Structure formats: C-alpha cells, structure tokens
Amino acid sequence: MSVKLTLTSLAFCLLSTSPLCHAQNAIIFLGDGMGQTTIAATRIFEAQKNDKDWRSHTLSFEKFPNVALVRTHTVDSQISDSAGTMSAIMTGHKTRSGVISVKPKYERGDCKSVFEDPPRTLFEYASEAGFSTGVVTTSRVTDATAAATYGHSPDRMWENDSKTPNSALKQGCGDLASQMIDFGEGQGQGQGLDLVLGGGRESFLPVDSVDPEYPESRGVRKDGKDLIIDWLKKDDGRKFVWNRDQFRKLNPPGTGRVLGLFEPREMVFNLESVRGKGNEPSLVEMTEFAVRFLENKAGKNGAYLLMIEGARIDHGNHAKIPILALTETIEFSKAVKKAVSMVNLEDTLVLVTADHSSSIAFTGYPEADMPILASLSYPSFSLIADDGRDHVMAESEEDPNDFDPSAIPSPHAGEDVAVYAIGFGAGRMHGTLEQHSLFDIIFEAIL
C-alpha cells in the first residue's frame, strides 16, 4: 500500500521505480459534454453574473498546472457518445460507441463481448487492491459514464432488465443495475463500491412498487426484484437514502457503505434546484461527503478511487438551453474546488476532463459587455425540423421552462477535449493524448 510522500520524496519518485512511489488516492472529475467552448462560455458567464472581470476570471480547474488535449474518437465513430469514451478511460482500450467497458471485437448488442476477454476497469483493479471506491453522478447511476466504472455491457441502454432483451438475459448478459449491486462479489474481501450517489431509482425497483418520493412513479424492473433491499441485505452497516434530509443525517461518514438514489431518473438541474425544485443534495454537497467518507473509510494508510460526474452539462447542451449547461459547469467547477481544498495533493491525483464535447458555438463579434448567453448557439447536422421551422432557441433565453420541446437535440462534437491535472502523477498530462491513455496514467499513479 502507498505511503504519504513529502515534496522531497515526491521529487525522488519522479525518477524512481520504487513500488512505494505511488499516489494513495485518485479523484476523477468527468464533465459530461464539457468541451472547450462550454468552458470558455461558463468562465465569462460566471464572471458576468458576479460582476467580475471576465478577462481574468478562471474556473477552478483552469488553474491546474498540468493540461493536455484528449482525442475522443472511438473505433467506429469520429464523434462518440459517453459510453465508448468513458469505457476508454476506465479500461485503457478504445472501443465502439454505445458499449460499456467491453472490447470492440463484437458488434454492439452482442453478449459475446462480455464473456470473451472483457477488459477490467480501474475500479475493478482498485477494489481488488483494497481501495475504497466511490461513484457520484447527477445522472442515473446506471447511465453510461457511471456504468463504465463497474459494468460490462454490449449496449449502454441495458440499464435494467426491462430494457435488456430476453435473449441477452438468458445468456447471462446482466442489466447494469444488477451489475452495480453485485459489483466485486467473488473478487475477495472488502470488495464492491463503498459509495454510490446519483439518480436512477426506477431501475432498482420492481414494476409494482411505488417510488418513495413520487406516488405517481413506479419501478421498472420486471423480474420482481427490489435491488435496493437486496443491496442492504448483503452485510451490516449499509445505508440507503433518497433525499437531502436523509443524506445530511449520514454521520459519521466513513462507516459501512452508502447508496443514495435521489430521483427516479436524472437528478434535477442545478438551476432548478436553487429555485426550490427537488429535495436532493447538490454536486458540491455530494463531492464533499464523498471525499470525507472515502478518506475516513480508507483510514490512515488506506487508499481510495473516486469518480465524480457533472452529467447534466451535456443534458443542458443537448436541450440547447445555454443557461442550463453553464450553471451545471459552474457547480462542477465548485465541486472540483471543494475536493482540492480537502485533499493532500502530495498523495492524491485530481484529474478533470470530459468524455466528449458538445456542439455549442461561441461565434460572431460580441462586444466586451455583451451578455454571454446572447453569443451562444448550437450547431447541428440538421437544424430545420420536418415542418420547415428553425427550432434553435433564442440565445438570450434564461428560462428553461420556455424551452420548445420540439426542438431538435444538439449533437455531440468531435474536437479534442482538455484534461486538467494536479497532485501526484499529474506531470504526465501534457501534449495531445489518446483518451484510453488516461487509464494508464491513473493506473500507474495509484496501483
């Protein structure tokens, strides 16, 4: 197991192959769809909202000393989705779009990819090495980015058994919710995710169950299983929470294991949350809890691996509502700042990146004092709907409730994304990298 490093020993380790020269911990921040245009626009937007000089303003992670560009293509697509890209980061293998942590030999939907030489994920390696592990997301915990940490599936859509074809279930190609509950079983003592926070309750509840928060909502599992109860029964000390009030009572952190599922599907947008919608923790709150929980769980000589996803950045861009994407990115930046303030960077690697970019455009010649929202638009392969009307949203619009639901979703974009790094091992982040090489950098830093 790694030990704490002084600055002197850190310098020595840069030239050494000693097994003691590793970081104890790694925190991977993933801004879904957070391309460079989104970052630049958010920087200006945050400054304008707070009456600061946008010329000198930066987001928290833009101050990190190590920066590189990352190529996000998959083996079958110039422009990928979150499944193929996050799988590359988690396994060290470029793969197909739409699949979760499997190699690209077989087509999407073919269960052979799960059974024949599936690559192990960073979280599998870390769990087997005795690390404490945690996953935090503002999307569903079975959505592509989070699922790639623990799951192996030939199709990202197979989040629960009702979405998984019967032929695949018969082959033992399990749904992602079931895989999350069973993660680590049979791999040794103390395995499995110690902390999971996000949305997606419906995939864990049977169809005849009523959601605890919304009486009109039901679970979607057709196998009759309540996976939350199954998870709680695995051993003592496990706690399940589904709202902010329960979450804030989780004290002291670091004992047992915690599962928090705060919405049937995605968590609410941060802009909606600050306006009173939803009874759920913010990304900053979840980040603070996760770092404290895992540090306490790991103990003095322990280690942990944590992934934190700002998922709804991408959702705001898809919906072509700039203020949603930008406010999500601000919250993401605050979460990064909170985490960095809590850790010892001599033994912790903090990495901030995106799975892919989104096709937001920051164009024209706006004057210095012009509101940034008036300068943003969303390129698309097809901006004109079948009825001939252009459904691009008014760029200055700040109310998501006025969004036209018939608008054509904005697609992903294919340019390189950035990776920002600080802490132990961060010096390897430079130049232009293939996305799957992030796996090697993180692996070699902590394992």
Side-chain angles (χ1 to χ4, degrees):
M1 189 59 64
S2 304
V3 295
K4 282 186 177 291
L5 300 171
T6 65
L7 290 175
T8 301
S9 61
L10 175 58
F12 167 77
C13 282
L14 294 177
L15 302 175
S16 172
T17 58
S18 168
L20 296 180
C21 291
H22 290 80
Q24 279 187 288
N25 320 303
I27 305 176
I28 304 166
F29 278 93
L30 198 292
D32 200 311
M34 190 182 70
Q36 285 298 290
T37 305
T38 297
I39 291 173
T42 302
R43 178 198 311 141
I44 298 172
F45 178 72
E46 184 177 41
Q48 290 179 337
K49 284 293 186 181
N50 293 288
D51 296 322
K52 294 182 178 181
D53 178 15
W54 58 264
R55 299 167 185 83
S56 59
H57 186 65
T58 59
L59 301 180
S60 63
F61 50 86
E62 291 186 285
K63 300 175 183 178
F64 287 8
N66 303 281
V67 183
L69 293 176
V70 177
R71 298 177 179 179
T72 63
H73 63 89
T74 53
V75 298
D76 63 346
S77 180
Q78 296 175 19
I79 301 176
S80 182
D81 68 338
S82 298
T85 50
M86 188 60 171
S87 293
I89 298 172
M90 284 294 107
T91 68
H93 295 273
K94 288 274 190 182
T95 189
R96 297 178 184 272
S97 297
V99 303
I100 300 293
S101 295
V102 295
K103 292 181 182 179
K105 180 178 179 180
Y106 297 101
E107 296 288 337
R108 179 174 178 176
D110 191 337
C111 282
K112 290 180 181 178
S113 62
V114 175
F115 302 127
E116 298 189 12
D117 192 31
R120 298 166 75 198
T121 72
L122 275 172
F123 277 74
E124 287 176 299
Y125 282 112
S127 182
E128 291 183 13
F131 282 52
S132 298
T133 54
V135 173
V136 175
T137 179
T138 51
S139 186
R140 307 174 305 281
V141 298
T142 52
D143 202 1
T145 301
T149 65
Y150 61 81
H152 300 275
S153 176
D155 196 315
R156 62 174 291 175
M157 302 303 293
W158 299 357
E159 297 184 44
N160 51 67
D161 67 329
S162 65
K163 287 187 174 182
T164 308
N166 288 330
S167 58
L169 293 173
K170 290 178 180 178
Q171 293 179 64
C173 205
D175 66 273
L176 290 165
S178 295
Q179 290 188 49
M180 195 201 84
I181 294 299
D182 295 334
F183 177 71
E185 289 193 356
Q187 298 179 21
Q189 184 177 1
Q191 304 309 309
L193 295 170
D194 296 289
L195 175 69
V196 179
L197 302 175
R201 281 194 303 262
E202 67 176 18
S203 288
F204 297 83
L205 299 174
V207 293
D208 59 354
S209 67
V210 177
D211 185 84
E213 187 173 12
Y214 306 105
E216 69 279 9
S217 296
R218 298 289 190 275
V220 297
R221 298 199 66 82
K222 62 183 182 182
D223 60 7
K225 294 181 179 180
D226 187 321
L227 296 186
I228 296 171
I229 292 178
D230 290 348
W231 179 84
L232 288 169
K233 288 180 177 179
K234 287 183 180 291
D235 54 54
D236 295 334
R238 295 183 179 230
K239 298 177 181 178
F240 168 69
V241 294
W242 56 266
N243 62 45
R244 182 193 290 118
D245 300 329
Q246 296 172 351
F247 175 77
R248 290 178 174 175
K249 292 177 182 178
L250 289 173
N251 190 46
T255 57
R257 302 188 189 199
V258 172
L259 172 61
L261 299 174
F262 302 107
E263 286 287 334
R265 293 186 59 76
E266 299 83 8
M267 295 180 66
V268 301
F269 282 105
N270 186 65
L271 184 62
E272 297 175 300
S273 180
V274 298
R275 293 175 176 177
K277 181 178 180 180
N279 180 18
E280 57 198 49
S282 67
L283 184 61
V284 171
E285 289 178 292
M286 292 192 293
T287 296
E288 181 177 10
F289 179 87
V291 173
R292 187 185 306 118
F293 178 88
L294 291 177
E295 288 198 335
N296 289 350
K297 182 86 174 178
K300 182 177 180 181
N301 296 315
Y304 65 84
L305 176 62
L306 172 62
M307 192 285 293
I308 300 172
E309 181 195 17
R312 308 224 68 186
I313 299 169
D314 193 43
H315 298 168
N317 279 330
H318 276 307
K320 294 189 286 193
I321 308 179
I323 193 170
L324 292 182
L326 303 192
T327 51
E328 289 297 312
T329 307
I330 289 173
E331 179 72 7
F332 180 79
S333 173
K334 291 178 179 177
V336 174
K337 182 178 181 179
K338 172 58 67 173
V340 171
S341 73
M342 298 175 67
V343 303
N344 179 359
L345 293 175
E346 290 187 28
D347 62 20
T348 304
L349 170 64
V350 180
L351 181 153
V352 178
T353 191
D355 46 359
H356 55 74
S357 179
S358 292
S359 61
I360 184 173
F362 182 18
T363 58
Y365 299 95
E367 297 179 356
D369 59 351
M370 185 174 181
I372 182 66
L373 293 177
S375 304
L376 301 175
S377 62
Y378 287 89
S380 174
F381 293 116
S382 177
L383 286 177
I384 307 300
D386 292 338
D387 60 7
R389 294 183 295 117
D390 189 339
H391 288 291
V392 177
M393 179 188 168
E395 289 86 352
S396 61
E397 181 58 68
E398 292 198 15
D399 188 355
N401 295 320
D402 288 341
F403 171 62
D404 180 359
S406 66
I408 301 170
S410 176
H412 293 165
E415 73 270 17
D416 298 349
V417 298
V419 56
Y420 307 83
I422 193 170
F424 193 103
R428 292 188 61 185
M429 302 293 179
H430 57 81
T432 300
L433 306 171
E434 289 290 351
Q435 194 164 45
H436 63 286
S437 68
L438 297 182
F439 170 92
D440 298 316
I441 295 172
I442 300 166
F443 184 93
E444 291 171 12
I446 65 174
L447 290 165

